[in-house]
Amino acid sequence: MEVLEFDVTGTHIWYYYCCQREVWLMLHQVNADQDDANMDLGRFLHEMTYARDRSKEITLGNIRLDIVRQEDDGMVVGEVKKSSKYLTSARMQLAFYLLELKERGIAARGELLFPKERKREVVELTAELEQELATATAAIRSLAAEPRPPQAKKIALCRNCAYKEFCWA
């Protein structure tokens, strides 16, 4: 099986930890239902929360950072999520961003922000997270080379998934 070369993104990392079938669909340009109510809510939260910090949103290579701010003890990268329900996915996505910055010589720490829950969680890049991200990135590249998506599995995410028609129609 040929492993394809492409830029893995934070979105790929997030979905890899939730649903590998969804990653495969994204990688093969199968577009989700853009009118899905959950996608609308996500876009709304993205645009309307942490407005003061949002002015500092930046794109760097293959990553888009929701919030970037300088504090006395260094740079902080914030990632806004609608819920802490998929905490592992959110942590790994933010760790991916921190690793991408580290590889560009930029030291930063991360904060996961859950505005509806009024919660935040600090994420620090560790050697263990770096190793896990290397494994996940290789697995995503391998998944992209597969001619068919992984078998659909009914999980909690399916109920609100914009791709559900591709799995359960």
Side-chain angles (χ1 to χ4, degrees), residues 59-169:
T59 300
L60 180 64
N62 62 326
I63 62 174
R64 177 178 285 156
L65 307 172
D66 288 348
I67 296 169
V68 178
R69 68 177 183 271
Q70 189 66 39
E71 293 187 353
D72 292 341
D73 61 343
M75 182 185 292
V76 177
V77 174
E79 178 66 19
V80 179
K81 295 296 182 194
K82 132 178 123 167
S83 160
S84 61
K85 189 173 183 179
Y86 301 102
L87 194 53
T88 299
S89 294
R91 278 186 193 130
M92 294 310 295
Q93 180 182 20
L94 185 51
F96 176 79
Y97 294 153
L98 296 173
L99 179 58
E100 289 285 312
L101 290 171
K102 179 182 175 184
E103 290 173 351
R104 290 173 169 81
I106 302 169
R109 67 179 168 82
E111 280 186 2
L112 290 172
L113 305 166
F114 307 100
K116 286 178 64 178
E117 300 170 9
R118 294 190 171 134
K119 287 173 48 177
R120 69 178 56 214
E121 178 179 311
V122 173
V123 175
E124 300 278 350
L125 186 63
T126 64
E128 293 79 21
L129 283 174
E130 287 186 42
Q131 181 57 50
E132 187 171 344
L133 285 166
T135 300
T137 300
I140 289 167
R141 290 186 191 290
S142 181
L143 188 62
E146 292 292 332
R148 291 183 185 17
Q151 191 69 27
K153 295 178 193 168
K154 199 72 148 173
I155 59 173
L157 189 63
C158 295
R159 186 171 26 115
N160 297 318
C161 180
Y163 281 99
K164 64 185 161 209
E165 295 170 9
F166 292 101
C167 300
W168 309 114

Side-chain angles (χ1 to χ4, degrees), residues 4-49:
L4 304 176
E5 281 300 315
F6 59 91
D7 287 334
V8 173
T9 68
T11 302
H12 296 138
I13 294 291
W14 195 89
Y15 281 108
Y16 175 78
Y17 285 91
C18 290
C19 176
Q20 294 181 18
R21 181 178 175 89
E22 194 162 348
V23 175
W24 188 95
L25 292 167
M26 284 180 192
L27 291 168
H28 289 85
Q29 283 78 48
V30 177
N31 294 321
D33 177 7
Q34 296 300 306
D35 296 325
D36 181 80
N38 288 296
M39 289 187 74
D40 288 340
L41 176 59
R43 281 190 284 265
F44 175 79
L45 283 173
H46 181 79
E47 292 170 11
M48 302 309 287
T49 56

